Amino acid sequence: MALEIPKQSYSGSIKEIAVGGDKGFKVGGETAYPFHLFEGQMPNRPRIGFEVWDKYPEEWAQELKDVYGDSLKDPAVWAKKVVDEYKADLVHLHLASTDPNGDNRSAAEAVEVVKKVAAAVSVPLSVWGTSATEKDAEVLRAVCEALEGRNALIGPVQEANHKQIGASIIGFKHTAIASSPIDINLAKQLNILLGNLGVPTNRIVIDPTVGGIGYGLEYTYSVMERARMAALAQEDEKLQYPLYCNLGYEVWKTKEAKSSAREMPELGDPSSRGILLEAMTASTLLMAGADILILRHPKTAEMVRAFINEMLG
């Protein structure tokens, strides 16, 4: 007698969100747990975005600097490289230079960089601030206006600045990356606030805030898993949104990823160490329900794409 795999039916589903314009894509739409294709549908494959900074990333690991070379000096060239050579589905533009505790560049300066990057690529854009709520409110509002019609992902949108940024997201028709600090209740509350403000339900994705392997990944996984369970099995409509995971930033800032062989010889080959840490984190987050992964290393992207293809059959 043939083995019959027990199946669970789900009363809820994840909202399908369109990202970008004519050359964009959709994420979400799942009617079962991640890759449970024997129980439901996963109509849109998880997408891979690449991180691009608006300034030279001095603190990046040498392995990353060697891969990208001089392109790191020009965000538009860098963005074009990750799309043309590394097949990025999305460009995640980090406005690191606007950090008020760093270079503190103005909103006007940030907008000029955003415009150049937007002109260089046709894939969807995600524009990311520095999590300084007041400065992000100023900068991201200007970015929303500059990218009108592009349906960009804008974040992090936090509770402290959701009204300012949310209003611009509504007015200029973008999508909010609702960011909360690894807490399912805070994630839900922020989605409620954005909905009350008037942000359409098809213009929100959740950034649960992720940790890399060895740095809180297990807690991240449990929060994402609980969000998916609430969305699918309990029909919690305030958690039925795609999940956006900015993991490259978290993985590559750790000493294990960026230390040289001289600094930490006991950790082995530094050229592969960070890649493996990033790939293991990404594959784990995919199993927790990630819809968009933001990576740094192109070899990681190759490994993650292969994993997705294998899981989707």
Side-chain angles (χ1 to χ4, degrees), residues 20-48:
D22 295 338
K23 295 187 178 180
F25 53 78
K26 293 180 179 179
V27 292
E30 298 95 330
T31 61
Y33 291 145
F35 303 105
H36 281 217
L37 303 180
F38 57 93
E39 291 183 330
Q41 301 296 315
M42 194 173 177
N44 301 300
R45 65 186 292 118
R47 296 289 182 159
I48 295 173

Side-chain angles (χ1 to χ4, degrees), residues 98-101 129-138 156 158 161 165:
T98 65
D99 187 347
N101 296 313
T130 63
S131 296
T133 54
E134 290 186 12
K135 187 61 180 284
D136 279 357
E138 176 190 354
Q158 302 176 77
N161 58 18
I165 302 175

